[in-house]
Amino acid sequence: MSRRETPEAPEPLGAPTVDAHTHLESCGADTPETVAAAMDRAEAVGVIGAVTVADDLPAARAAVAAAHWDPRVTAAVALHPTRTAAVSADEFAEIERLAADPRVVAVGETGLDYYWDYSPPEAQQAAFRWHIDLAKRLGKPLMIHDRDAHADVLRILREEGAPETVIFHCFSGDAAMARECADAGYVLSFAGTVTFRNAKDLREAAVVPPEDLLLVETDAPFLTPHPHRGKGNEPFCLPWTVRGLAALRDTDPDTLAAVTLRNARRVYGDLVPGVTSPDGTGSRSA
């Protein structure tokens, strides 16, 4: 894909955090060297890890490779709902094989997308149910893509029985939906959209979940936060979203960074980088 100019790096965070959902390959990081460079840029501003996410089979292979190239990177793999119009048994089998890789920390992104007309709702729903079952069989979190499909996503989770951990990536609902998700124990991950001045409903939703159900993400190369909306996005852009979300929740940005790092390690596991101990002998959660 064509690369847009990225902004200058933000002021570093005072406490580290993790980009809970990004697409490194689509950011141009598709070799060991370019993945390392992207994570170096991120780490320089306090983003010490990233979950790179797949939306189709080639991206799934690339995500797993990136997670093996750099210890700061973990992966999530699935077939995006817009890719589900015609999926073969062999393709489902390869997703299952990739999802079982030890560097893969979640099954995703899966769910429903009624905005784009690339796959019929029936095919999307069948694939979503398959991914829910896969997450439960593997004992890994389910990472959800939900666009203009809130009611059906929640209904299918109820019907199938949700996995132990569910993450709504780039949460896009209103305050009422945020309450319903929080009551169910679902984790809400907020992207740069929460900083957009015209996202009134989302900004109201951002104050609803308790801090233990919060993650932050870039969804790079998309959704670059204000004040750089329209430019290219990378994991190093995450501090703008952390600060925007912290302002909405009336909390200190560094406190929010530490909370979301702790949550990422609880949700995704200890493969997600932590904070180096003072003696340099290991890592601990913030």
Side-chain angles (χ1 to χ4, degrees):
M1 63 181 295
S2 61
R3 300 291 313 283
R4 293 175 293 170
E5 179 187 2
T6 54
E8 293 294 320
E11 179 183 351
L13 294 167
T17 192
V18 163
D19 185 348
H21 184 115
T22 192
H23 300 268
L24 287 176
E25 183 190 31
S26 295
C27 295
D30 55 4
T31 65
E33 295 76 18
T34 53
V35 167
M39 293 311 302
D40 287 347
R41 290 190 290 273
E43 191 168 9
V45 297
V47 182
I48 62 173
V51 181
T52 189
V53 182
D55 63 357
D56 61 13
L57 266 177
R61 297 177 192 123
V64 173
H68 283 274
W69 290 335
D70 194 302
R72 296 167 291 186
V73 177
T74 52
V77 301
L79 295 175
H80 191 280
T82 60
R83 312 281 189 173
T84 57
V87 185
S88 70
D90 286 347
E91 289 170 320
F92 277 129
E94 185 170 359
I95 286 292
E96 182 164 352
R97 179 183 64 79
L98 291 166
D101 188 282
R103 296 291 301 172
V104 172
V105 295
V107 173
E109 56 188 287
T110 180
L112 303 175
D113 190 316
Y114 294 166
Y115 178 82
W116 297 108
D117 188 24
Y118 295 141
S119 180
E122 296 79 10
Q124 293 189 44
Q125 291 178 23
F128 184 29
R129 293 178 192 273
W130 182 86
H131 284 95
I132 292 171
D133 178 68
L134 177 62
K136 290 192 287 189
R137 285 190 284 113
L138 293 178
K140 295 187 178 184
L142 182 75
M143 180 188 287
I144 290 179
H145 171 102
D146 166 29
R147 190 166 186 186
D148 294 354
H150 305 325
D152 278 355
V153 166
L154 293 172
R155 173 181 60 81
I156 290 172
L157 284 171
R158 290 192 299 269
E159 290 173 356
E160 294 296 315
E164 181 177 353
T165 303
V166 172
I167 306 111
F168 274 77
H169 121 76
C170 191
F171 182 77
S172 59
D174 60 11
M177 184 181 176
R179 290 188 196 95
E180 184 171 355
C181 289
D183 288 346
Y186 301 155
V187 178
L188 306 187
S189 184
F190 289 91
T193 44
V194 80
T195 70
F196 295 174
R197 298 301 187 245
N198 61 349
K200 178 178 180 293
D201 288 350
L202 178 61
R203 290 160 68 82
E204 291 174 352
V207 306
V208 170
E211 68 175 23
D212 64 327
L213 296 180
L214 282 178
L215 292 173
V216 286
E217 64 173 86
T218 58
D219 198 19
F222 316 105
L223 307 178
T224 312
H226 178 84
H228 301 288
R229 188 175 181 180
K231 291 187 176 182
N233 199 7
E234 274 194 32
F236 79 78
C237 297
L238 189 63
W240 285 304
T241 297
V242 171
R243 293 183 173 110
L245 182 58
L248 290 171
R249 293 177 62 89
D250 194 25
T251 191
D252 176 70
D254 294 341
T255 299
L256 183 64
V259 163
T260 52
L261 174 61
R262 182 172 66 242
N263 292 344
R265 285 176 57 79
R266 186 190 79 244
V267 167
Y268 293 125
D270 290 344
L271 288 177
V272 171
V275 179
T276 302
S277 301
D279 61 4
T281 58
S283 65
R284 57 179 172 81
S285 58

